[in-house]
């Protein structure tokens, strides 16, 4: 009996010793492994290391979209597959693992535990990540962008291209991208990376900047000049002013011995001549919208506009060479000036004489005020009233009109071209129709007296008179 008890004691002692050894072995085994009955994000973790669980989690988890924000605040998506960007749960898993005591491994033995963890960092293949970063449009442009400061001319005037200002340090930006990924950030704002730097100017860069400042000063002091063309106004824009400067073959303004801009005589004259070409009407032909409903072509004869180009060239030279030009509205000089100024120098107030229909109309500010039948020059005797755009150049009362074989008294006389004018004709009882073909005037426009009374009071000297068949 004693022998049996002794064997039982020995057996129990050995069992306890073996159990203790097994417990210690399992505790040691789970010291760097997850305990039994633990699930993380759907992955069974019992007996697995942090690295093993992380690998399984990465294989079944898609990384979040990674955006890079440039200096202008624009978002650029990074190709995460090409860059091999993957979530990394190592930090979160390591923090969760509590294998620092002997009983950790069997903490969840009786009841399974399900845990949801978020990736706290991201990992990537550095070489592939760098390649993807460099392929982003704004990064590749920055890497290919030249350095230096240069002056250029384009439509609209001069501009300075500054390739030294706010340059992105691509290496610093990439390092910041890596840091953000390691911190679990998927929106990488380079504006917070302090990776924008200004490169130092070379001697040539400084010369370009100085020239640019001179151009800005020149434009600023002359841009306040406005040409008053009547219905239109023309400001001396930077584009126009740029054309007044002498330039080298690259289009860069030239300086004289005193370091001042050289005003181009050719440039000034060409601009003034182009202005005259747009506004001069003397001896030209234009289309006129007749009251009868069609467009007629009529030539400017005694009426019209002609700019004094020589006076304007002299004015521009003086103002451009002035040290401190003042803002001013300039009315150009004219050799001949119309009743109104502008591209349409007839305007809305004029007298229209339609010799085919034997009608005369008076418009004031575009509104028809008078309409009457008239009798014009006798075409049967080759005395037809001449066509053309003329103007009322005088007004007289109680005038005797004289010519070969006649002397006629008129109460109202408004000459428009030489001896041709508009007047009343008391000797006529009828107007209009085809009278002019056989019994017309010597070239004047015979008008009923009651109409002539009104027209004489309304029409001013200088009023355009458009005469056509």
């Amino acid at each position: 009996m004693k022998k049996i008890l002794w064997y039982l004691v020995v057996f129990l002692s050995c069992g306890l010793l073996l159990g203790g050894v097994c417990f210690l072995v399992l505790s040691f085994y789970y010291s760097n492994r997850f305990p039994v009955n633990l699930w993380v994000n759907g992955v069974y973790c019992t007996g697995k290391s942090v690295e093993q669980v992380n690998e399984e989690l990465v294989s079944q988890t898609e990384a979040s979209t990674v955006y890079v924000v440039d200096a202008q605040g624009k978002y650029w998506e990074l190709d995460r597959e090409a860059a091999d960007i993957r979530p990394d749960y190592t930090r979160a898993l390591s923090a969760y693992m509590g294998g620092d005591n002997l009983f950790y491994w069997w903490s969840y033995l009786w009841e399974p535990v399900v845990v949801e963890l978020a990736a706290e960092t991201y990992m990537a293949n550095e070489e592939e990540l760098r390649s993807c970063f460099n392929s982003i449009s704004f990064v590749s442009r920055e890497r290919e962008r030249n350095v230096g400061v240069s002056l250029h001319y384009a439509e609209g005037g001069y501009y300075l291209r500054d390739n030294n200002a706010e340059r992105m340090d691509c290496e610093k930006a990439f390092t910041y991208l890596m840091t953000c990924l390691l911190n679990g950030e998927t929106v990488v704002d380079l504006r917070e990376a302090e990776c924008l730097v200004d490169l130092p100017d070379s001697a040539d860069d400084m010369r370009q900047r100085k020239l640019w400042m001179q151009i800005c000063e020149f434009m600023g002091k002359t841009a306040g000049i406005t040409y008053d063309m009547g219905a239109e106004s023309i400001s001396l824009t930077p584009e126009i002013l740029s054309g007044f400067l002498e330039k080298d073959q690259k289009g860069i303004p030239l300086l004289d011995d005193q370091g001042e801009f050289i005003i181009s005589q050719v440039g000034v004259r060409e601009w003034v001549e182009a202005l005259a070409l747009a506004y001069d009407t003397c001896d030209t032909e234009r289309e006129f919208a007749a009251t009868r409903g069609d467009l007629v072509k009529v030539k400017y004869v005694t009426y019209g506009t002609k700019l004094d180009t020589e006076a304007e060239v002299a004015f521009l030279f003086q103002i451009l060479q002035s040290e401190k030009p003042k803002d001013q509205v300039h009315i150009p000089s004219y050799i001949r000036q119309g009743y109104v100024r502008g591209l349409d120098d007839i305007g809305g107030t004029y007298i229209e004489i339609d010799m085919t229909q034997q009608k005369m109309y008076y418009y004031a500010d575009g509104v028809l005020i008078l309409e009457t039948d008239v009798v014009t020059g006798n075409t049967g005797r080759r005395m037809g009233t001449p066509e053309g755009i003329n103007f009322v150049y005088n007004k007289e009362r109680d005038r005797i009109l004289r010519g070969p074989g006649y002397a006629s008294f008129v109460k109202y006389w408004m000459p428009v071209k030489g001896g041709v004018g508009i007047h009343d004709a008391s000797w006529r009882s009828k107007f209009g129709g085809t009278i002019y073909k056989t019994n017309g005037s010597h070239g004047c426009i015979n008008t009923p007296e009651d109409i002539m009374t009104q027209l004489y009071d309304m029409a001013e000297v200088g009023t355009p008179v458009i005469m056509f068949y």
Side-chain angles (χ1 to χ4, degrees), residues 402-432:
R402 301 181 185 276
Y406 73 91
S408 303
F409 173 78
V410 298
K411 294 181 178 180
Y412 305 97
W413 169 241
M414 294 167 52
V416 297
K417 180 181 182 295
V420 175
I422 307 169
H423 60 79
D424 55 296
S426 58
W427 55 90
R428 292 190 184 277
S429 58
K430 292 183 179 181
F431 296 86

PDB file of all heavy atoms in Angstrom, residues 402-432:
ATOM      1  N   ARG A 402     -27.991 132.935-109.374  1.00  0.00           N
ATOM      2  CA  ARG A 402     -27.761 133.344-110.760  1.00  0.00           C
ATOM      3  C   ARG A 402     -26.985 132.257-111.494  1.00  0.00           C
ATOM      4  O   ARG A 402     -26.176 131.547-110.925  1.00  0.00           O
ATOM      5  CB  ARG A 402     -26.989 134.661-110.813  1.00  0.00           C
ATOM      6  CG  ARG A 402     -27.689 135.810-110.110  1.00  0.00           C
ATOM      7  CD  ARG A 402     -26.877 137.093-110.214  1.00  0.00           C
ATOM      8  NE  ARG A 402     -27.486 138.175-109.443  1.00  0.00           N
ATOM      9  CZ  ARG A 402     -28.467 138.953-109.881  1.00  0.00           C
ATOM     10  NH1 ARG A 402     -28.950 138.773-111.114  1.00  0.00           N
ATOM     11  NH2 ARG A 402     -28.960 139.912-109.119  1.00  0.00           N
ATOM     12  N   GLY A 403     -27.263 132.185-112.784  1.00  0.00           N
ATOM     13  CA  GLY A 403     -26.577 131.253-113.655  1.00  0.00           C
ATOM     14  C   GLY A 403     -26.794 131.674-115.094  1.00  0.00           C
ATOM     15  O   GLY A 403     -27.477 132.686-115.365  1.00  0.00           O
ATOM     16  N   PRO A 404     -26.248 130.901-116.045  1.00  0.00           N
ATOM     17  CA  PRO A 404     -26.421 131.261-117.477  1.00  0.00           C
ATOM     18  C   PRO A 404     -27.905 131.320-117.845  1.00  0.00           C
ATOM     19  O   PRO A 404     -28.602 130.304-117.825  1.00  0.00           O
ATOM     20  CB  PRO A 404     -25.712 130.119-118.203  1.00  0.00           C
ATOM     21  CG  PRO A 404     -24.741 129.572-117.208  1.00  0.00           C
ATOM     22  CD  PRO A 404     -25.422 129.712-115.888  1.00  0.00           C
ATOM     23  N   GLY A 405     -28.392 132.495-118.055  1.00  0.00           N
ATOM     24  CA  GLY A 405     -29.762 132.647-118.523  1.00  0.00           C
ATOM     25  C   GLY A 405     -30.822 132.649-117.451  1.00  0.00           C
ATOM     26  O   GLY A 405     -32.023 132.622-117.759  1.00  0.00           O
ATOM     27  N   TYR A 406     -30.439 132.724-116.158  1.00  0.00           N
ATOM     28  CA  TYR A 406     -31.487 132.755-115.127  1.00  0.00           C
ATOM     29  C   TYR A 406     -30.986 133.504-113.896  1.00  0.00           C
ATOM     30  O   TYR A 406     -29.790 133.601-113.635  1.00  0.00           O
ATOM     31  CB  TYR A 406     -31.938 131.346-114.727  1.00  0.00           C
ATOM     32  CG  TYR A 406     -30.929 130.586-113.887  1.00  0.00           C
ATOM     33  CD1 TYR A 406     -30.956 130.658-112.495  1.00  0.00           C
ATOM     34  CD2 TYR A 406     -29.937 129.804-114.489  1.00  0.00           C
ATOM     35  CE1 TYR A 406     -30.039 129.970-111.735  1.00  0.00           C
ATOM     36  CE2 TYR A 406     -29.012 129.117-113.732  1.00  0.00           C
ATOM     37  CZ  TYR A 406     -29.073 129.200-112.343  1.00  0.00           C
ATOM     38  OH  TYR A 406     -28.164 128.518-111.582  1.00  0.00           O
ATOM     39  N   ALA A 407     -31.972 134.036-113.129  1.00  0.00           N
ATOM     40  CA  ALA A 407     -31.755 134.666-111.824  1.00  0.00           C
ATOM     41  C   ALA A 407     -33.001 134.385-111.007  1.00  0.00           C
ATOM     42  O   ALA A 407     -34.076 134.914-111.303  1.00  0.00           O
ATOM     43  CB  ALA A 407     -31.506 136.154-111.964  1.00  0.00           C
ATOM     44  N   SER A 408     -32.885 133.559-109.975  1.00  0.00           N
ATOM     45  CA  SER A 408     -34.044 133.112-109.209  1.00  0.00           C
ATOM     46  C   SER A 408     -33.895 133.527-107.752  1.00  0.00           C
ATOM     47  O   SER A 408     -32.852 133.306-107.121  1.00  0.00           O
ATOM     48  CB  SER A 408     -34.186 131.590-109.287  1.00  0.00           C
ATOM     49  OG  SER A 408     -34.287 131.167-110.637  1.00  0.00           O
ATOM     50  N   PHE A 409     -34.999 134.111-107.241  1.00  0.00           N
ATOM     51  CA  PHE A 409     -35.018 134.519-105.828  1.00  0.00           C
ATOM     52  C   PHE A 409     -35.477 133.336-104.973  1.00  0.00           C
ATOM     53  O   PHE A 409     -36.482 132.688-105.279  1.00  0.00           O
ATOM     54  CB  PHE A 409     -35.964 135.699-105.628  1.00  0.00           C
ATOM     55  CG  PHE A 409     -36.157 136.061-104.177  1.00  0.00           C
ATOM     56  CD1 PHE A 409     -35.189 136.790-103.492  1.00  0.00           C
ATOM     57  CD2 PHE A 409     -37.303 135.640-103.489  1.00  0.00           C
ATOM     58  CE1 PHE A 409     -35.377 137.119-102.156  1.00  0.00           C
ATOM     59  CE2 PHE A 409     -37.478 135.964-102.164  1.00  0.00           C
ATOM     60  CZ  PHE A 409     -36.512 136.702-101.488  1.00  0.00           C
ATOM     61  N   VAL A 410     -34.725 133.072-103.905  1.00  0.00           N
ATOM     62  CA  VAL A 410     -35.131 132.019-102.956  1.00  0.00           C
ATOM     63  C   VAL A 410     -35.073 132.601-101.551  1.00  0.00           C
ATOM     64  O   VAL A 410     -34.260 133.482-101.255  1.00  0.00           O
ATOM     65  CB  VAL A 410     -34.226 130.776-103.053  1.00  0.00           C
ATOM     66  CG1 VAL A 410     -34.301 130.143-104.441  1.00  0.00           C
ATOM     67  CG2 VAL A 410     -32.778 131.104-102.703  1.00  0.00           C
ATOM     68  N   LYS A 411     -35.969 132.107-100.711  1.00  0.00           N
ATOM     69  CA  LYS A 411     -36.006 132.571 -99.323  1.00  0.00           C
ATOM     70  C   LYS A 411     -34.973 131.837 -98.451  1.00  0.00           C
ATOM     71  O   LYS A 411     -34.485 132.393 -97.464  1.00  0.00           O
ATOM     72  CB  LYS A 411     -37.398 132.377 -98.736  1.00  0.00           C
ATOM     73  CG  LYS A 411     -38.462 133.254 -99.391  1.00  0.00           C
ATOM     74  CD  LYS A 411     -39.817 133.024 -98.725  1.00  0.00           C
ATOM     75  CE  LYS A 411     -40.897 133.914 -99.330  1.00  0.00           C
ATOM     76  NZ  LYS A 411     -42.221 133.705 -98.690  1.00  0.00           N
ATOM     77  N   TYR A 412     -34.692 130.575 -98.820  1.00  0.00           N
ATOM     78  CA  TYR A 412     -33.787 129.760 -97.999  1.00  0.00           C
ATOM     79  C   TYR A 412     -32.752 129.096 -98.910  1.00  0.00           C
ATOM     80  O   TYR A 412     -33.106 128.398 -99.864  1.00  0.00           O
ATOM     81  CB  TYR A 412     -34.565 128.673 -97.241  1.00  0.00           C
ATOM     82  CG  TYR A 412     -35.690 129.235 -96.399  1.00  0.00           C
ATOM     83  CD1 TYR A 412     -37.004 129.248 -96.877  1.00  0.00           C
ATOM     84  CD2 TYR A 412     -35.431 129.747 -95.128  1.00  0.00           C
ATOM     85  CE1 TYR A 412     -38.038 129.761 -96.114  1.00  0.00           C
ATOM     86  CE2 TYR A 412     -36.467 130.253 -94.353  1.00  0.00           C
ATOM     87  CZ  TYR A 412     -37.760 130.256 -94.849  1.00  0.00           C
ATOM     88  OH  TYR A 412     -38.774 130.765 -94.085  1.00  0.00           O
ATOM     89  N   TRP A 413     -31.498 129.299 -98.571  1.00  0.00           N
ATOM     90  CA  TRP A 413     -30.422 128.758 -99.397  1.00  0.00           C
ATOM     91  C   TRP A 413     -29.410 128.004 -98.512  1.00  0.00           C
ATOM     92  O   TRP A 413     -28.846 128.541 -97.570  1.00  0.00           O
ATOM     93  CB  TRP A 413     -29.733 129.883-100.152  1.00  0.00           C
ATOM     94  CG  TRP A 413     -28.439 129.530-100.863  1.00  0.00           C
ATOM     95  CD1 TRP A 413     -27.215 130.056-100.627  1.00  0.00           C
ATOM     96  CD2 TRP A 413     -28.260 128.593-101.926  1.00  0.00           C
ATOM     97  NE1 TRP A 413     -26.267 129.526-101.470  1.00  0.00           N
ATOM     98  CE2 TRP A 413     -26.893 128.606-102.290  1.00  0.00           C
ATOM     99  CE3 TRP A 413     -29.130 127.748-102.620  1.00  0.00           C
ATOM    100  CZ2 TRP A 413     -26.370 127.812-103.290  1.00  0.00           C
ATOM    101  CZ3 TRP A 413     -28.595 126.960-103.620  1.00  0.00           C
ATOM    102  CH2 TRP A 413     -27.233 126.982-103.952  1.00  0.00           C
ATOM    103  N   MET A 414     -29.218 126.704 -98.858  1.00  0.00           N
ATOM    104  CA  MET A 414     -28.280 125.864 -98.104  1.00  0.00           C
ATOM    105  C   MET A 414     -27.369 125.138 -99.111  1.00  0.00           C
ATOM    106  O   MET A 414     -27.690 124.059 -99.601  1.00  0.00           O
ATOM    107  CB  MET A 414     -29.021 124.825 -97.240  1.00  0.00           C
ATOM    108  CG  MET A 414     -29.839 125.473 -96.111  1.00  0.00           C
ATOM    109  SD  MET A 414     -31.003 124.326 -95.309  1.00  0.00           S
ATOM    110  CE  MET A 414     -29.949 122.976 -94.890  1.00  0.00           C
ATOM    111  N   PRO A 415     -26.225 125.753 -99.468  1.00  0.00           N
ATOM    112  CA  PRO A 415     -25.325 125.133-100.445  1.00  0.00           C
ATOM    113  C   PRO A 415     -24.639 123.881 -99.839  1.00  0.00           C
ATOM    114  O   PRO A 415     -24.289 123.864 -98.662  1.00  0.00           O
ATOM    115  CB  PRO A 415     -24.308 126.227-100.733  1.00  0.00           C
ATOM    116  CG  PRO A 415     -24.298 127.071 -99.496  1.00  0.00           C
ATOM    117  CD  PRO A 415     -25.693 127.048 -98.962  1.00  0.00           C
ATOM    118  N   VAL A 416     -24.430 122.850-100.690  1.00  0.00           N
ATOM    119  CA  VAL A 416     -23.812 121.612-100.211  1.00  0.00           C
ATOM    120  C   VAL A 416     -22.573 121.218-101.031  1.00  0.00           C
ATOM    121  O   VAL A 416     -21.722 120.480-100.548  1.00  0.00           O
ATOM    122  CB  VAL A 416     -24.828 120.454-100.209  1.00  0.00           C
ATOM    123  CG1 VAL A 416     -25.971 120.742 -99.248  1.00  0.00           C
ATOM    124  CG2 VAL A 416     -25.357 120.187-101.607  1.00  0.00           C
ATOM    125  N   LYS A 417     -22.497 121.699-102.298  1.00  0.00           N
ATOM    126  CA  LYS A 417     -21.313 121.388-103.110  1.00  0.00           C
ATOM    127  C   LYS A 417     -21.193 122.439-104.211  1.00  0.00           C
ATOM    128  O   LYS A 417     -21.963 122.433-105.168  1.00  0.00           O
ATOM    129  CB  LYS A 417     -21.426 119.997-103.732  1.00  0.00           C
ATOM    130  CG  LYS A 417     -20.205 119.610-104.597  1.00  0.00           C
ATOM    131  CD  LYS A 417     -20.377 118.226-105.200  1.00  0.00           C
ATOM    132  CE  LYS A 417     -19.155 117.824-106.008  1.00  0.00           C
ATOM    133  NZ  LYS A 417     -18.923 118.647-107.192  1.00  0.00           N
ATOM    134  N   GLY A 418     -20.214 123.314-104.048  1.00  0.00           N
ATOM    135  CA  GLY A 418     -20.072 124.379-105.033  1.00  0.00           C
ATOM    136  C   GLY A 418     -21.359 125.183-105.150  1.00  0.00           C
ATOM    137  O   GLY A 418     -21.881 125.715-104.172  1.00  0.00           O
ATOM    138  N   GLY A 419     -21.924 125.277-106.401  1.00  0.00           N
ATOM    139  CA  GLY A 419     -23.158 126.023-106.609  1.00  0.00           C
ATOM    140  C   GLY A 419     -24.397 125.167-106.453  1.00  0.00           C
ATOM    141  O   GLY A 419     -25.513 125.633-106.718  1.00  0.00           O
ATOM    142  N   VAL A 420     -24.240 123.911-106.037  1.00  0.00           N
ATOM    143  CA  VAL A 420     -25.392 123.019-105.835  1.00  0.00           C
ATOM    144  C   VAL A 420     -25.818 123.110-104.374  1.00  0.00           C
ATOM    145  O   VAL A 420     -24.999 122.973-103.462  1.00  0.00           O
ATOM    146  CB  VAL A 420     -25.033 121.567-106.196  1.00  0.00           C
ATOM    147  CG1 VAL A 420     -26.197 120.639-105.874  1.00  0.00           C
ATOM    148  CG2 VAL A 420     -24.650 121.462-107.666  1.00  0.00           C
ATOM    149  N   GLY A 421     -27.127 123.365-104.190  1.00  0.00           N
ATOM    150  CA  GLY A 421     -27.625 123.483-102.827  1.00  0.00           C
ATOM    151  C   GLY A 421     -29.085 123.090-102.710  1.00  0.00           C
ATOM    152  O   GLY A 421     -29.736 122.679-103.674  1.00  0.00           O
ATOM    153  N   ILE A 422     -29.610 123.221-101.536  1.00  0.00           N
ATOM    154  CA  ILE A 422     -31.010 122.921-101.244  1.00  0.00           C
ATOM    155  C   ILE A 422     -31.706 124.255-101.028  1.00  0.00           C
ATOM    156  O   ILE A 422     -31.242 125.083-100.234  1.00  0.00           O
ATOM    157  CB  ILE A 422     -31.135 122.043 -99.981  1.00  0.00           C
ATOM    158  CG1 ILE A 422     -30.248 120.782-100.105  1.00  0.00           C
ATOM    159  CG2 ILE A 422     -32.577 121.643 -99.731  1.00  0.00           C
ATOM    160  CD1 ILE A 422     -30.114 120.001 -98.809  1.00  0.00           C
ATOM    161  N   HIS A 423     -32.830 124.460-101.722  1.00  0.00           N
ATOM    162  CA  HIS A 423     -33.557 125.732-101.559  1.00  0.00           C
ATOM    163  C   HIS A 423     -35.032 125.548-101.915  1.00  0.00           C
ATOM    164  O   HIS A 423     -35.434 124.539-102.506  1.00  0.00           O
ATOM    165  CB  HIS A 423     -32.927 126.831-102.443  1.00  0.00           C
ATOM    166  CG  HIS A 423     -32.934 126.515-103.903  1.00  0.00           C
ATOM    167  ND1 HIS A 423     -34.061 126.667-104.698  1.00  0.00           N
ATOM    168  CD2 HIS A 423     -31.940 126.072-104.728  1.00  0.00           C
ATOM    169  CE1 HIS A 423     -33.766 126.323-105.942  1.00  0.00           C
ATOM    170  NE2 HIS A 423     -32.474 125.957-105.986  1.00  0.00           N
ATOM    171  N   ASP A 424     -35.812 126.546-101.517  1.00  0.00           N
ATOM    172  CA  ASP A 424     -37.230 126.546-101.876  1.00  0.00           C
ATOM    173  C   ASP A 424     -37.361 126.931-103.356  1.00  0.00           C
ATOM    174  O   ASP A 424     -36.441 127.494-103.948  1.00  0.00           O
ATOM    175  CB  ASP A 424     -37.998 127.533-100.992  1.00  0.00           C
ATOM    176  CG  ASP A 424     -37.403 128.936-101.034  1.00  0.00           C
ATOM    177  OD1 ASP A 424     -36.217 129.098-100.588  1.00  0.00           O
ATOM    178  OD2 ASP A 424     -38.082 129.856-101.493  1.00  0.00           O
ATOM    179  N   ALA A 425     -38.508 126.648-103.960  1.00  0.00           N
ATOM    180  CA  ALA A 425     -38.738 126.944-105.396  1.00  0.00           C
ATOM    181  C   ALA A 425     -40.194 127.368-105.559  1.00  0.00           C
ATOM    182  O   ALA A 425     -41.073 126.556-105.843  1.00  0.00           O
ATOM    183  CB  ALA A 425     -38.412 125.711-106.245  1.00  0.00           C
ATOM    184  N   SER A 426     -40.419 128.680-105.355  1.00  0.00           N
ATOM    185  CA  SER A 426     -41.799 129.208-105.413  1.00  0.00           C
ATOM    186  C   SER A 426     -42.407 129.079-106.797  1.00  0.00           C
ATOM    187  O   SER A 426     -43.633 129.142-106.954  1.00  0.00           O
ATOM    188  CB  SER A 426     -41.798 130.680-104.973  1.00  0.00           C
ATOM    189  OG  SER A 426     -40.941 131.451-105.794  1.00  0.00           O
ATOM    190  N   TRP A 427     -41.578 128.926-107.817  1.00  0.00           N
ATOM    191  CA  TRP A 427     -42.085 128.817-109.188  1.00  0.00           C
ATOM    192  C   TRP A 427     -42.636 127.426-109.511  1.00  0.00           C
ATOM    193  O   TRP A 427     -43.193 127.223-110.577  1.00  0.00           O
ATOM    194  CB  TRP A 427     -40.992 129.177-110.180  1.00  0.00           C
ATOM    195  CG  TRP A 427     -39.722 128.363-109.998  1.00  0.00           C
ATOM    196  CD1 TRP A 427     -39.419 127.187-110.579  1.00  0.00           C
ATOM    197  CD2 TRP A 427     -38.618 128.695-109.164  1.00  0.00           C
ATOM    198  NE1 TRP A 427     -38.203 126.735-110.186  1.00  0.00           N
ATOM    199  CE2 TRP A 427     -37.663 127.653-109.307  1.00  0.00           C
ATOM    200  CE3 TRP A 427     -38.331 129.774-108.311  1.00  0.00           C
ATOM    201  CZ2 TRP A 427     -36.456 127.649-108.630  1.00  0.00           C
ATOM    202  CZ3 TRP A 427     -37.128 129.772-107.652  1.00  0.00           C
ATOM    203  CH2 TRP A 427     -36.204 128.722-107.804  1.00  0.00           C
ATOM    204  N   ARG A 428     -42.476 126.481-108.563  1.00  0.00           N
ATOM    205  CA  ARG A 428     -43.001 125.141-108.815  1.00  0.00           C
ATOM    206  C   ARG A 428     -44.257 124.900-107.988  1.00  0.00           C
ATOM    207  O   ARG A 428     -44.330 125.264-106.813  1.00  0.00           O
ATOM    208  CB  ARG A 428     -41.972 124.066-108.464  1.00  0.00           C
ATOM    209  CG  ARG A 428     -40.756 124.061-109.386  1.00  0.00           C
ATOM    210  CD  ARG A 428     -39.904 122.821-109.122  1.00  0.00           C
ATOM    211  NE  ARG A 428     -38.679 122.823-109.927  1.00  0.00           N
ATOM    212  CZ  ARG A 428     -38.626 122.406-111.184  1.00  0.00           C
ATOM    213  NH1 ARG A 428     -39.732 121.947-111.761  1.00  0.00           N
ATOM    214  NH2 ARG A 428     -37.486 122.446-111.859  1.00  0.00           N
ATOM    215  N   SER A 429     -45.213 124.214-108.632  1.00  0.00           N
ATOM    216  CA  SER A 429     -46.426 123.839-107.922  1.00  0.00           C
ATOM    217  C   SER A 429     -46.441 122.339-107.629  1.00  0.00           C
ATOM    218  O   SER A 429     -47.247 121.871-106.821  1.00  0.00           O
ATOM    219  CB  SER A 429     -47.665 124.204-108.754  1.00  0.00           C
ATOM    220  OG  SER A 429     -47.625 123.558-110.027  1.00  0.00           O
ATOM    221  N   LYS A 430     -45.571 121.599-108.306  1.00  0.00           N
ATOM    222  CA  LYS A 430     -45.509 120.154-108.095  1.00  0.00           C
ATOM    223  C   LYS A 430     -44.054 119.727-107.866  1.00  0.00           C
ATOM    224  O   LYS A 430     -43.132 120.315-108.425  1.00  0.00           O
ATOM    225  CB  LYS A 430     -46.068 119.403-109.304  1.00  0.00           C
ATOM    226  CG  LYS A 430     -47.568 119.581-109.502  1.00  0.00           C
ATOM    227  CD  LYS A 430     -48.055 118.740-110.679  1.00  0.00           C
ATOM    228  CE  LYS A 430     -49.568 118.909-110.870  1.00  0.00           C
ATOM    229  NZ  LYS A 430     -50.074 118.079-111.998  1.00  0.00           N
ATOM    230  N   PHE A 431     -43.924 118.652-107.066  1.00  0.00           N
ATOM    231  CA  PHE A 431     -42.603 118.092-106.751  1.00  0.00           C
ATOM    232  C   PHE A 431     -42.694 116.569-106.821  1.00  0.00           C
ATOM    233  O   PHE A 431     -43.766 115.974-106.682  1.00  0.00           O
ATOM    234  CB  PHE A 431     -42.154 118.520-105.347  1.00  0.00           C
ATOM    235  CG  PHE A 431     -41.943 120.006-105.194  1.00  0.00           C
ATOM    236  CD1 PHE A 431     -43.008 120.845-104.885  1.00  0.00           C
ATOM    237  CD2 PHE A 431     -40.680 120.556-105.368  1.00  0.00           C
ATOM    238  CE1 PHE A 431     -42.815 122.207-104.736  1.00  0.00           C
ATOM    239  CE2 PHE A 431     -40.484 121.919-105.233  1.00  0.00           C
ATOM    240  CZ  PHE A 431     -41.550 122.750-104.923  1.00  0.00           C
ATOM    241  N   GLY A 432     -41.557 115.938-107.039  1.00  0.00           N
ATOM    242  CA  GLY A 432     -41.511 114.484-107.060  1.00  0.00           C
ATOM    243  C   GLY A 432     -41.770 113.916-108.433  1.00  0.00           C
ATOM    244  O   GLY A 432     -41.754 114.613-109.460  1.00  0.00           O
TER     245      GLY A 432
END
